């Protein structure tokens, strides 16, 4: 049984609040919580499983808050969310048997490319633009693929969903962020279902951190709703770059 001191618990809760805030705006909350969980002495697979427990609360709160503000119709997102969930279940179940090291080597390149895309591509704002693929094709191909990735590894899932909604579905920045959250919530739940079969999440710790995630996600999504792309773009660029640098540091 893993025991957590009060001081360590407070640090983990603070990390969860910060992760909920960042994740509700641009994704990348796992960059904060997974390393902290592992530094606390929790084995890697158990840390990933516990991270899914607490992460789903932040994504769920952000999805609800964006829906209340009128930026997403959650009922219309149920189908894509189920596909994201299914993809994540398979990803988590195969996490121990697929060559994830190869994926980890390529991730920093993809994340830096995403950061550069959102930093320098002109015309990225809260206005919708040209749709490149149909909603059905987007939901049946891109969504389960990213859900699978979230179950398999996870870092950068929010940024990948954002990139798809902006570059393929033609959504504005704020609308893309709002639609990302329910799919990320679903992939968190799916990843947790898969991990429960191969690991033992620390449920009480995950729930305590989940409460802090809810608070952080509420603050972050409320700010994003009011400020829009002016806040989301820089946070997304910073979070993607930081995650890429963190992954590169693990090569050495």
């Amino acid at each position: 049984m893993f025991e957590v001191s009060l001081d360590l618990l407070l640090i983990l809760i603070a990390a969860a609040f910060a992760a909920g805030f960042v994740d509700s705006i641009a994704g990348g909350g796992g960059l904060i919580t997974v390393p902290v969980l592992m530094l606390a002495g929790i084995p890697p697979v158990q840390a990933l499983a516990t991270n899914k427990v607490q992460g789903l609360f932040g994504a769920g709160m952000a999805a609800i808050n964006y829906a209340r503000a009128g930026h997403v119709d959650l009922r219309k997102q149920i189908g894509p969310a189920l596909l994201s969930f299914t993809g994540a279940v398979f990803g988590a179940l195969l996490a121990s048997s697929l060559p994830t090291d190869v994926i980890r080597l390529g991730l920093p390149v993809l994340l830096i490319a995403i950061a550069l895309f959102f930093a320098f591509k002109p015309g990225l704002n809260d206005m919708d633009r040209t749709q490149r693929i149909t909603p059905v094709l987007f939901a049946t191909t891109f969504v389960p693929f990213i859900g699978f990735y979230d179950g398999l590894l996870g870092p950068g899932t929010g940024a990948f969903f954002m990139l798809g909604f902006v570059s393929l579905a033609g959504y504005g920045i704020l609308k893309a962020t709002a639609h990302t959250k329910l799919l990320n919530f679903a992939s968190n739940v799916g990843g947790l279902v898969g991990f429960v079969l191969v690991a033992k999440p620390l449920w009480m710790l995950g729930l305590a951190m989940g409460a802090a995630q809810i608070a952080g996600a509420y603050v972050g999504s409320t700010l994003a709703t009011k400020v829009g792309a002016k806040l989301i773009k820089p946070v997304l660029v910073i979070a993607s770059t930081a995650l890429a640098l963190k992954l590169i540091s693990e090569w050495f």
Side-chain angles (χ1 to χ4, degrees):
M1 182 70 178
F2 186 83
E3 295 184 1
V4 181
S5 66
L6 178 59
D7 290 346
L8 182 56
L9 178 61
L10 292 176
I11 291 172
L12 290 168
I13 288 175
F17 177 88
F21 178 86
V22 172
D23 206 59
S24 68
I25 298 173
L31 170 66
I32 300 171
T33 50
V34 172
V36 172
L37 286 166
M38 293 178 66
L39 286 173
I42 302 172
V45 175
Q46 194 172 35
L48 289 172
T50 304
N51 186 61
K52 292 298 181 188
V53 175
Q54 59 94 36
L56 65 89
F57 287 95
M61 179 71 256
I64 292 170
N65 213 24
Y66 283 122
R68 285 174 176 170
H71 297 296
V72 58
D73 185 339
L74 296 183
R75 291 183 179 179
K76 292 182 179 179
Q77 286 289 95
I78 291 176
L82 289 174
L83 292 171
S84 180
F85 168 86
T86 304
V89 171
F90 283 105
L93 290 174
L94 295 175
S96 61
S97 58
L98 292 181
T100 54
D101 287 342
V102 175
I103 301 175
R104 285 192 179 96
L105 291 175
L107 267 182
V109 177
L110 290 175
L111 288 166
I112 290 172
I114 288 173
L116 292 173
F117 175 83
F118 282 98
F120 297 111
K121 184 171 177 61
L124 289 183
N125 49 41
D126 292 326
M127 300 295 293
D128 288 351
R129 52 191 51 78
T130 303
Q131 188 180 87
R132 295 182 183 274
I133 63 175
T134 66
V136 172
L137 184 60
F138 181 83
T140 55
T141 56
F142 186 83
V143 169
F145 177 76
I146 300 301
F148 177 84
Y149 164 77
D150 193 22
L152 185 66
L153 287 174
T157 297
F160 293 138
F161 272 133
M162 275 282 293
L163 180 64
F165 275 117
V166 171
S167 62
L168 298 177
Y171 288 6
I173 297 290
L174 179 56
K175 184 178 178 181
T177 301
H179 282 72
T180 288
K181 292 302 105 184
L182 180 62
L183 301 187
N184 207 173
F185 169 78
S187 64
N188 269 318
V189 176
L192 177 60
V193 169
F195 273 119
V196 164
L197 301 177
V198 297
K200 294 181 179 179
L202 299 173
W203 291 102
M204 294 307 296
L205 176 59
L207 292 174
M209 293 177 70
Q213 275 265 0
I214 290 173
Y218 179 81
V219 174
S221 56
T222 299
L223 279 175
T225 296
K226 293 179 179 179
V227 181
K230 292 180 181 179
L231 172 65
I232 297 169
K233 283 177 63 176
V235 172
L236 179 62
V237 170
I238 292 170
S240 296
T241 303
L243 180 52
L245 294 175
K246 172 66 171 59
L247 292 170
I248 290 172
S249 71
E250 293 176 356
W251 293 355
F252 304 101

